[in-house]
């Protein structure tokens, strides 16, 4: 992209999600999420510990079945942020730097989000079949010129 070209909306929101990921507090994986409706940002989230408790970066990981269980995932934190501030997200889209795990996918679906745009694929193939079954648009998108 030259300095005079405008970003597409997908590129714009994915770049913001990548920036949000820099706030993550688990060094195993930094993930950022941005919830959008009508080209407006409604909420953001990154993976981090329970509010008020120590972070992985400070206290170490809480490993269970090969995953760090200390953190709340970025997608869940974005949905929670919207709930805490009373922002309606139904009908919106979520931009996330890595595809949602199964638990986050279920949260996204029940929150009424209709589109998931993700950077890298992360672990769970089930999201593809279930997204199709329930009508959630699932889009792989890498920011041009940037590797994830």
């Amino acid at each position: 992209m030259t300095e005079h070209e405008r970003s597409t909306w997908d590129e714009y929101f994915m770049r913001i999600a990548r920036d949000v990921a820099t706030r993550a507090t688990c060094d195993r994986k930094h993930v950022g999420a941005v919830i959008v409706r009508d080209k407006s940002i409604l909420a953001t989230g990154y993976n981090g510990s329970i509010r008020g408790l120590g972070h992985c970066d400070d206290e170490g990981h809480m490993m269970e079945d090969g995953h760090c269980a200390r953190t709340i995932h970025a997608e869940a934190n974005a949905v929670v942020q919207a709930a805490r501030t009373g922002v309606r997200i139904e009908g919106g889209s979520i931009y996330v730097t890595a595809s949602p795990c199964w638990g986050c996918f279920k949260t996204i679906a029940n929150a009424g989000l209709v589109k998931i745009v993700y950077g890298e694929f992360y672990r769970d193939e089930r999201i593809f079949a279930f997204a199709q079954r329930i009508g959630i648009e699932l889009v792989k998108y890498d920011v041009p010129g940037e590797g994830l």
Side-chain angles (χ1 to χ4, degrees), residues 53-73:
L53 296 181
H55 301 292
C56 297
D57 292 352
D58 302 325
E59 296 186 8
H61 301 287
M62 185 184 293
M63 298 302 293
E64 292 177 6
D65 298 325
H67 301 278
C68 182
R70 182 182 297 278
T71 62
I72 301 162
H73 290 183

Side-chain angles (χ1 to χ4, degrees), residues 3-37:
E3 70 178 270
H4 299 292
E5 288 182 51
R6 289 181 74 186
S7 298
T8 65
W9 287 108
D10 283 347
E11 183 176 350
Y12 175 69
F13 292 125
M14 281 300 281
R15 284 185 188 276
I16 293 170
R18 290 172 58 89
D19 200 36
V20 170
T22 66
R23 294 283 308 150
T25 61
C26 181
D27 60 11
R28 288 178 49 84
K29 187 157 198 69
H30 287 203
V31 179
V34 178
I35 298 175
V36 174
R37 190 178 57 241

